[in-house]
Amino acid sequence: TLATAVLYFLLWMLKSGRKRSATQPQTIYSEVPQKRKGESRMAISRQSAYRGCLLGLAVGDAMGYTVDNRSWQEIQEDYGPNGLLGYDLVNGYADVTSYTQLAAFTCNGLLFGMTRGQLSGKMAPYIKYIEMSSREWAASQRSWGRPKSCYCWLLRRPELCRRHCMDTRMLDTLSREAPSSLESPVNNYSDPAGLTAAVGVGLFYHKDRMDWREMARLGAEAVALTHGSPTAFLTGAVLTHIISLLIRHPGAPLKKVFLAAVDAMKDQFGHQYSQAFDIATLVRHAVTYASAPDIRPVEVMEQLKCENAAQALAGAVYTCLVAEDDFDRAMIVAVNHSGRSAAVGALVGAILGLRLGEEALPEFYIECLEPAETLRELADDMDTGCPMAQGNKLFDLDWDYKYRSGGQ
């Protein structure tokens, strides 16, 4: 009857309008919605996501390196009206730079610290292991002063030690006896050259290791080792949030992830650094640009400038949203502008690679990438973590060789 139908309707309205329970945890992660039922994107394995992140980062780095910091007009003169559409190969290989190297060495340092903690029961703060691995990476960029013994097995992989440092001032900073930190920065560099260290920190996230505030601070500290401007290290905190959120919520809409990440950074650091609000505003502008179909991507990238760390992240946010899970298109948009093409390419590659998985990366990008196998191996190690523990009879010779003996 009509009365019964009205009653059922009122009960349904009451149930759907019920507020969230006050006992439900209110964290940054609970605010990111899961993928809706019926969406067509296939689920990817965790291993594929980790591999996709590091490989995608390297692809964007290698593609953008060719045109990094060149004007859009110069790019068009050399590559045609549509700009660079793929690798500009050198001897058949696509060269990676310090963007890939720093992310990889950060992963190496974190895994070294984790292994020491699990096997000995004691360890230093994780930032100390990132500092150690960053100093060893800096040694790889010099023709002199390489240590005879080392802690990072990556130092023995020449494909990740080529001298392609995108900001040589980092080498001077890392050569100082006292490290740069959030509390005592030794410079005011704001460019994005050290930003990819935060990708390694984000990939290291696990709920049993640290909470999201500790993780975001570690990402900021990792960037602050080389770049002391709040614009740089706070952007590192946002990037750490983005990577870790995509690990925890692989099907979450990217727009929600980006906005949740900047809000979390602003809540954590806004009382201390006014730059937190500037970064949040810039990222929100990038999100808004992505919903404006009448503006060409290159025009948006030119407006975003993509020069300092925050601008590079904003460019990456815009590119990821406008490319809509098309990795090839994303790479083309990410590198064709007058800003730091390698930085934006690396960030876009890391984010979309993590979201889409290794299988979504076109083979023509991977087959020319010299460190591809090493990055796959490192990604698998980040995925599995240390298989050994104190008092455990299990012994992994390969892991011991890499993360206790430094590959020696």
Side-chain angles (χ1 to χ4, degrees):
T1 64
L2 179 60
T4 304
V6 170
L7 179 60
Y8 275 118
F9 177 77
L10 291 175
L11 288 172
W12 176 82
M13 289 290 290
L14 180 62
K15 183 178 179 180
S16 63
R18 191 173 296 159
K19 294 183 178 179
R20 186 190 309 190
S21 169
T23 60
Q24 186 173 342
Q26 302 279 325
T27 68
I28 177 64
Y29 300 109
S30 65
E31 293 171 3
V32 179
Q34 295 292 325
K35 181 179 167 184
R36 293 179 181 177
K37 186 176 181 179
E39 290 185 3
S40 59
R41 198 168 68 85
M42 292 178 60
I44 60 172
S45 69
R46 184 181 168 98
Q47 180 191 53
S48 176
Y50 274 67
R51 287 184 173 190
C53 183
L54 291 184
L55 289 172
L57 188 155
V59 168
D61 175 22
M63 186 166 166
Y65 174 50
T66 310
V67 293
D68 192 74
N69 239 6
R70 298 177 65 185
S71 71
W72 171 232
Q73 289 72 25
E74 291 173 335
I75 295 172
Q76 287 180 300
E77 288 173 4
D78 287 346
Y79 298 101
N82 295 320
L84 181 66
L85 302 179
Y87 288 144
D88 190 349
L89 299 177
V90 177
N91 298 323
Y93 285 106
D95 288 333
V96 298
T97 75
S98 54
Y99 291 115
T100 303
Q101 295 165 356
L102 263 181
F105 272 80
T106 298
C107 293
N108 195 156
L110 289 167
L111 291 173
F112 180 88
M114 172 204 279
T115 303
R116 173 163 291 193
Q118 288 188 198
L119 295 183
S120 67
K122 55 184 179 180
M123 59 179 290
Y126 277 117
I127 188 60
K128 295 296 183 182
Y129 299 105
I130 298 176
E131 178 194 341
M132 172 272 296
S133 61
S134 297
R135 289 183 185 274
E136 292 202 349
W137 164 76
S140 77
Q141 300 298 295
R142 299 189 292 262
S143 58
W144 50 269
R146 281 204 180 193
K148 293 183 179 179
S149 61
C150 59
Y151 296 103
C152 293
W153 67 278
L154 292 181
L155 202 59
R156 303 189 179 280
R157 296 296 177 97
E159 65 270 22
L160 279 173
C161 296
R162 310 279 186 224
R163 279 182 245 164
H164 292 308
C165 181
M166 300 302 284
D167 183 356
T168 54
R169 299 176 301 175
M170 293 193 295
L171 306 182
D172 296 331
T173 302
L174 290 170
S175 67
R176 292 171 176 261
E177 184 175 349
S180 180
S181 65
L182 300 184
E183 295 77 15
S184 302
V186 300
N187 60 50
N188 195 38
Y189 305 154
S190 63
D191 64 89
L195 196 53
T196 50
V199 173
V201 176
L203 279 179
F204 192 65
Y205 172 75
H206 191 281
K207 60 184 177 63
D208 294 333
R209 291 183 193 140
M210 64 187 82
D211 67 26
W212 65 270
R213 287 181 175 272
E214 293 172 326
M215 175 204 59
R217 183 174 179 84
L218 182 60
E221 288 175 334
V223 176
L225 286 172
T226 56
H227 289 71
S229 168
T231 299
F233 62 70
L234 293 181
T235 303
V238 177
L239 182 57
T240 304
H241 274 305
I242 291 172
I243 298 298
S244 60
L245 281 167
L246 287 173
I247 291 173
R248 181 161 178 137
H249 300 289
L254 281 178
K255 179 179 177 180
K256 297 286 187 181
V257 170
F258 295 146
L259 295 178
V262 293
D263 286 344
M265 180 277 297
K266 188 173 60 174
D267 291 343
Q268 183 174 358
F269 295 101
H271 69 283
Q272 189 174 0
Y273 301 102
S274 61
Q275 292 89 340
F277 297 91
D278 299 333
I279 295 169
T281 300
L282 194 56
V283 171
R284 289 183 178 279
H285 284 168
V287 171
T288 302
Y289 276 131
S291 60
D294 297 332
I295 309 178
R296 293 172 58 223
V298 68
E299 294 174 359
V300 174
M301 298 298 277
E302 292 293 287
Q303 289 189 37
L304 291 174
K305 300 184 186 301
C306 301
E307 290 291 344
N308 64 33
Q311 292 167 349
L313 180 62
V317 165
Y318 168 78
T319 301
C320 290
L321 292 175
V322 81
E324 297 181 342
D325 293 350
D326 184 338
F327 188 86
D328 188 31
R329 183 188 178 210
M331 288 295 98
I332 294 171
V333 173
V335 304
N336 283 296
H337 53 86
S338 302
R340 305 300 295 266
S341 299
V344 180
L347 298 181
V348 171
I351 294 169
L352 285 187
L354 180 61
R355 177 176 173 79
L356 303 176
E358 180 186 12
E359 295 79 11
L361 277 57
E363 183 59 31
F364 58 79
Y365 280 127
I366 306 300
E367 62 187 5
C368 303
L369 201 60
E370 188 179 12
E373 285 307 314
T374 301
L375 292 174
R376 284 192 181 100
E377 183 178 355
L378 182 63
D380 290 349
D381 292 344
M382 290 291 285
D383 174 26
T384 60
C386 178
M388 302 179 288
Q390 190 176 22
N392 192 332
K393 294 183 179 180
L394 176 65
F395 182 78
D396 189 314
L397 181 62
D398 183 57
W399 192 278
D400 184 82
Y401 170 75
K402 289 187 290 188
Y403 298 110
R404 294 188 73 187
S405 305
Q408 301 176 73

